[in-house]
PDB file of all heavy atoms in Angstrom:
ATOM      1  N   ILE A   7     185.234 142.249  -3.547  1.00  0.00           N
ATOM      2  CA  ILE A   7     184.949 142.661  -2.174  1.00  0.00           C
ATOM      3  C   ILE A   7     183.439 142.849  -1.957  1.00  0.00           C
ATOM      4  O   ILE A   7     182.908 142.522  -0.939  1.00  0.00           O
ATOM      5  CB  ILE A   7     185.762 143.907  -1.776  1.00  0.00           C
ATOM      6  CG1 ILE A   7     185.505 144.318  -0.328  1.00  0.00           C
ATOM      7  CG2 ILE A   7     185.442 145.067  -2.723  1.00  0.00           C
ATOM      8  CD1 ILE A   7     185.975 143.270   0.661  1.00  0.00           C
ATOM      9  N   LYS A   8     182.823 143.374  -3.017  1.00  0.00           N
ATOM     10  CA  LYS A   8     181.359 143.576  -2.886  1.00  0.00           C
ATOM     11  C   LYS A   8     180.646 142.225  -2.717  1.00  0.00           C
ATOM     12  O   LYS A   8     179.711 142.098  -1.919  1.00  0.00           O
ATOM     13  CB  LYS A   8     180.854 144.327  -4.078  1.00  0.00           C
ATOM     14  CG  LYS A   8     181.207 145.812  -4.001  1.00  0.00           C
ATOM     15  CD  LYS A   8     180.758 146.603  -5.210  1.00  0.00           C
ATOM     16  CE  LYS A   8     181.140 148.075  -4.996  1.00  0.00           C
ATOM     17  NZ  LYS A   8     180.889 148.861  -6.208  1.00  0.00           N
ATOM     18  N   LEU A   9     181.050 141.289  -3.525  1.00  0.00           N
ATOM     19  CA  LEU A   9     180.465 139.948  -3.446  1.00  0.00           C
ATOM     20  C   LEU A   9     180.668 139.317  -2.051  1.00  0.00           C
ATOM     21  O   LEU A   9     179.722 138.846  -1.420  1.00  0.00           O
ATOM     22  CB  LEU A   9     181.083 139.043  -4.497  1.00  0.00           C
ATOM     23  CG  LEU A   9     180.489 137.630  -4.607  1.00  0.00           C
ATOM     24  CD1 LEU A   9     179.050 137.750  -5.170  1.00  0.00           C
ATOM     25  CD2 LEU A   9     181.281 136.697  -5.485  1.00  0.00           C
ATOM     26  N   ILE A  10     181.914 139.452  -1.568  1.00  0.00           N
ATOM     27  CA  ILE A  10     182.232 138.868  -0.245  1.00  0.00           C
ATOM     28  C   ILE A  10     181.341 139.508   0.820  1.00  0.00           C
ATOM     29  O   ILE A  10     180.743 138.817   1.691  1.00  0.00           O
ATOM     30  CB  ILE A  10     183.701 139.075   0.098  1.00  0.00           C
ATOM     31  CG1 ILE A  10     184.582 138.173  -0.818  1.00  0.00           C
ATOM     32  CG2 ILE A  10     184.007 138.723   1.550  1.00  0.00           C
ATOM     33  CD1 ILE A  10     186.049 138.491  -0.757  1.00  0.00           C
ATOM     34  N   LEU A  11     181.258 140.830   0.786  1.00  0.00           N
ATOM     35  CA  LEU A  11     180.495 141.542   1.813  1.00  0.00           C
ATOM     36  C   LEU A  11     179.031 141.206   1.730  1.00  0.00           C
ATOM     37  O   LEU A  11     178.341 140.983   2.774  1.00  0.00           O
ATOM     38  CB  LEU A  11     180.739 143.053   1.708  1.00  0.00           C
ATOM     39  CG  LEU A  11     182.068 143.496   2.198  1.00  0.00           C
ATOM     40  CD1 LEU A  11     182.311 145.002   1.891  1.00  0.00           C
ATOM     41  CD2 LEU A  11     182.224 143.265   3.685  1.00  0.00           C
ATOM     42  N   VAL A  12     178.487 141.139   0.494  1.00  0.00           N
ATOM     43  CA  VAL A  12     177.048 140.818   0.359  1.00  0.00           C
ATOM     44  C   VAL A  12     176.768 139.412   0.884  1.00  0.00           C
ATOM     45  O   VAL A  12     175.796 139.209   1.608  1.00  0.00           O
ATOM     46  CB  VAL A  12     176.640 140.925  -1.157  1.00  0.00           C
ATOM     47  CG1 VAL A  12     175.249 140.308  -1.345  1.00  0.00           C
ATOM     48  CG2 VAL A  12     176.640 142.385  -1.556  1.00  0.00           C
ATOM     49  N   VAL A  13     177.628 138.481   0.577  1.00  0.00           N
ATOM     50  CA  VAL A  13     177.456 137.128   1.060  1.00  0.00           C
ATOM     51  C   VAL A  13     177.518 137.070   2.587  1.00  0.00           C
ATOM     52  O   VAL A  13     176.670 136.453   3.235  1.00  0.00           O
ATOM     53  CB  VAL A  13     178.512 136.195   0.456  1.00  0.00           C
ATOM     54  CG1 VAL A  13     178.517 134.812   1.198  1.00  0.00           C
ATOM     55  CG2 VAL A  13     178.286 135.967  -1.022  1.00  0.00           C
ATOM     56  N   ALA A  14     178.483 137.819   3.152  1.00  0.00           N
ATOM     57  CA  ALA A  14     178.620 137.855   4.608  1.00  0.00           C
ATOM     58  C   ALA A  14     177.367 138.418   5.253  1.00  0.00           C
ATOM     59  O   ALA A  14     176.875 137.913   6.222  1.00  0.00           O
ATOM     60  CB  ALA A  14     179.838 138.702   4.987  1.00  0.00           C
ATOM     61  N   ILE A  15     176.809 139.495   4.674  1.00  0.00           N
ATOM     62  CA  ILE A  15     175.629 140.142   5.232  1.00  0.00           C
ATOM     63  C   ILE A  15     174.467 139.193   5.172  1.00  0.00           C
ATOM     64  O   ILE A  15     173.682 139.058   6.160  1.00  0.00           O
ATOM     65  CB  ILE A  15     175.328 141.469   4.476  1.00  0.00           C
ATOM     66  CG1 ILE A  15     176.404 142.501   4.832  1.00  0.00           C
ATOM     67  CG2 ILE A  15     173.918 141.966   4.821  1.00  0.00           C
ATOM     68  CD1 ILE A  15     176.410 143.668   3.868  1.00  0.00           C
ATOM     69  N   ILE A  16     174.326 138.509   4.048  1.00  0.00           N
ATOM     70  CA  ILE A  16     173.200 137.557   3.906  1.00  0.00           C
ATOM     71  C   ILE A  16     173.357 136.415   4.910  1.00  0.00           C
ATOM     72  O   ILE A  16     172.407 135.992   5.579  1.00  0.00           O
ATOM     73  CB  ILE A  16     173.140 136.994   2.447  1.00  0.00           C
ATOM     74  CG1 ILE A  16     172.663 138.088   1.513  1.00  0.00           C
ATOM     75  CG2 ILE A  16     172.177 135.786   2.405  1.00  0.00           C
ATOM     76  CD1 ILE A  16     172.801 137.716   0.042  1.00  0.00           C
ATOM     77  N   GLY A  17     174.598 135.966   5.110  1.00  0.00           N
ATOM     78  CA  GLY A  17     174.870 134.897   6.076  1.00  0.00           C
ATOM     79  C   GLY A  17     174.463 135.320   7.458  1.00  0.00           C
ATOM     80  O   GLY A  17     173.777 134.552   8.194  1.00  0.00           O
ATOM     81  N   VAL A  18     174.888 136.519   7.896  1.00  0.00           N
ATOM     82  CA  VAL A  18     174.514 137.005   9.231  1.00  0.00           C
ATOM     83  C   VAL A  18     173.009 137.137   9.370  1.00  0.00           C
ATOM     84  O   VAL A  18     172.439 136.763  10.396  1.00  0.00           O
ATOM     85  CB  VAL A  18     175.197 138.379   9.448  1.00  0.00           C
ATOM     86  CG1 VAL A  18     174.655 139.018  10.720  1.00  0.00           C
ATOM     87  CG2 VAL A  18     176.696 138.187   9.555  1.00  0.00           C
ATOM     88  N   THR A  19     172.364 137.587   8.295  1.00  0.00           N
ATOM     89  CA  THR A  19     170.923 137.750   8.286  1.00  0.00           C
ATOM     90  C   THR A  19     170.222 136.425   8.562  1.00  0.00           C
ATOM     91  O   THR A  19     169.334 136.334   9.417  1.00  0.00           O
ATOM     92  CB  THR A  19     170.438 138.295   6.933  1.00  0.00           C
ATOM     93  OG1 THR A  19     171.177 139.448   6.642  1.00  0.00           O
ATOM     94  CG2 THR A  19     168.949 138.614   6.969  1.00  0.00           C
ATOM     95  N   VAL A  20     170.641 135.411   7.885  1.00  0.00           N
ATOM     96  CA  VAL A  20     170.053 134.080   8.057  1.00  0.00           C
ATOM     97  C   VAL A  20     170.285 133.594   9.467  1.00  0.00           C
ATOM     98  O   VAL A  20     169.364 133.094  10.150  1.00  0.00           O
ATOM     99  CB  VAL A  20     170.633 133.086   7.033  1.00  0.00           C
ATOM    100  CG1 VAL A  20     170.184 131.657   7.396  1.00  0.00           C
ATOM    101  CG2 VAL A  20     170.208 133.443   5.620  1.00  0.00           C
ATOM    102  N   MET A  21     171.508 133.774   9.970  1.00  0.00           N
ATOM    103  CA  MET A  21     171.833 133.296  11.318  1.00  0.00           C
ATOM    104  C   MET A  21     170.972 134.027  12.369  1.00  0.00           C
ATOM    105  O   MET A  21     170.449 133.427  13.315  1.00  0.00           O
ATOM    106  CB  MET A  21     173.300 133.568  11.635  1.00  0.00           C
ATOM    107  CG  MET A  21     174.154 132.384  11.213  1.00  0.00           C
ATOM    108  SD  MET A  21     175.914 132.833  11.224  1.00  0.00           S
ATOM    109  CE  MET A  21     176.144 133.431  12.874  1.00  0.00           C
ATOM    110  N   LEU A  22     170.815 135.361  12.241  1.00  0.00           N
ATOM    111  CA  LEU A  22     170.046 136.165  13.157  1.00  0.00           C
ATOM    112  C   LEU A  22     168.587 135.736  13.152  1.00  0.00           C
ATOM    113  O   LEU A  22     167.887 135.824  14.149  1.00  0.00           O
ATOM    114  CB  LEU A  22     170.174 137.631  12.881  1.00  0.00           C
ATOM    115  CG  LEU A  22     171.471 138.287  13.328  1.00  0.00           C
ATOM    116  CD1 LEU A  22     171.515 139.719  12.826  1.00  0.00           C
ATOM    117  CD2 LEU A  22     171.505 138.272  14.871  1.00  0.00           C
ATOM    118  N   ASN A  23     168.109 135.324  11.991  1.00  0.00           N
ATOM    119  CA  ASN A  23     166.714 135.059  11.796  1.00  0.00           C
ATOM    120  C   ASN A  23     166.250 133.733  12.345  1.00  0.00           C
ATOM    121  O   ASN A  23     165.055 133.482  12.454  1.00  0.00           O
ATOM    122  CB  ASN A  23     166.348 135.151  10.321  1.00  0.00           C
ATOM    123  CG  ASN A  23     165.107 135.967  10.111  1.00  0.00           C
ATOM    124  OD1 ASN A  23     164.498 136.417  11.059  1.00  0.00           O
ATOM    125  ND2 ASN A  23     164.743 136.172   8.863  1.00  0.00           N
ATOM    126  N   ARG A  24     167.210 132.909  12.715  1.00  0.00           N
ATOM    127  CA  ARG A  24     166.834 131.546  13.145  1.00  0.00           C
ATOM    128  C   ARG A  24     166.247 131.478  14.570  1.00  0.00           C
ATOM    129  O   ARG A  24     165.447 130.608  14.829  1.00  0.00           O
ATOM    130  CB  ARG A  24     168.035 130.647  13.036  1.00  0.00           C
ATOM    131  CG  ARG A  24     168.114 129.950  11.657  1.00  0.00           C
ATOM    132  CD  ARG A  24     168.776 128.597  11.765  1.00  0.00           C
ATOM    133  NE  ARG A  24     170.104 128.722  12.163  1.00  0.00           N
ATOM    134  CZ  ARG A  24     171.148 128.211  11.490  1.00  0.00           C
ATOM    135  NH1 ARG A  24     170.911 127.579  10.348  1.00  0.00           N
ATOM    136  NH2 ARG A  24     172.377 128.319  11.899  1.00  0.00           N
ATOM    137  N   SER A  25     166.683 132.391  15.453  1.00  0.00           N
ATOM    138  CA  SER A  25     166.158 132.342  16.797  1.00  0.00           C
ATOM    139  C   SER A  25     164.709 132.897  16.849  1.00  0.00           C
ATOM    140  O   SER A  25     164.324 133.683  16.004  1.00  0.00           O
ATOM    141  CB  SER A  25     167.026 133.183  17.761  1.00  0.00           C
ATOM    142  OG  SER A  25     166.759 134.500  17.574  1.00  0.00           O
ATOM    143  N   THR A  26     163.941 132.458  17.815  1.00  0.00           N
ATOM    144  CA  THR A  26     162.563 132.902  17.903  1.00  0.00           C
ATOM    145  C   THR A  26     162.268 133.484  19.275  1.00  0.00           C
ATOM    146  O   THR A  26     162.839 133.100  20.247  1.00  0.00           O
ATOM    147  CB  THR A  26     161.589 131.718  17.662  1.00  0.00           C
ATOM    148  OG1 THR A  26     161.959 130.639  18.506  1.00  0.00           O
ATOM    149  CG2 THR A  26     161.610 131.283  16.218  1.00  0.00           C
TER     150      THR A  26
END
Side-chain angles (χ1 to χ4, degrees):
Chain A
I7 182 64
K8 285 177 178 173
L9 185 67
I10 290 170
L11 286 174
V12 168
V13 168
I15 289 164
I16 290 171
V18 169
T19 308
V20 171
M21 270 166 57
L22 280 173
N23 226 357
R24 269 210 295 236
S25 76
T26 50

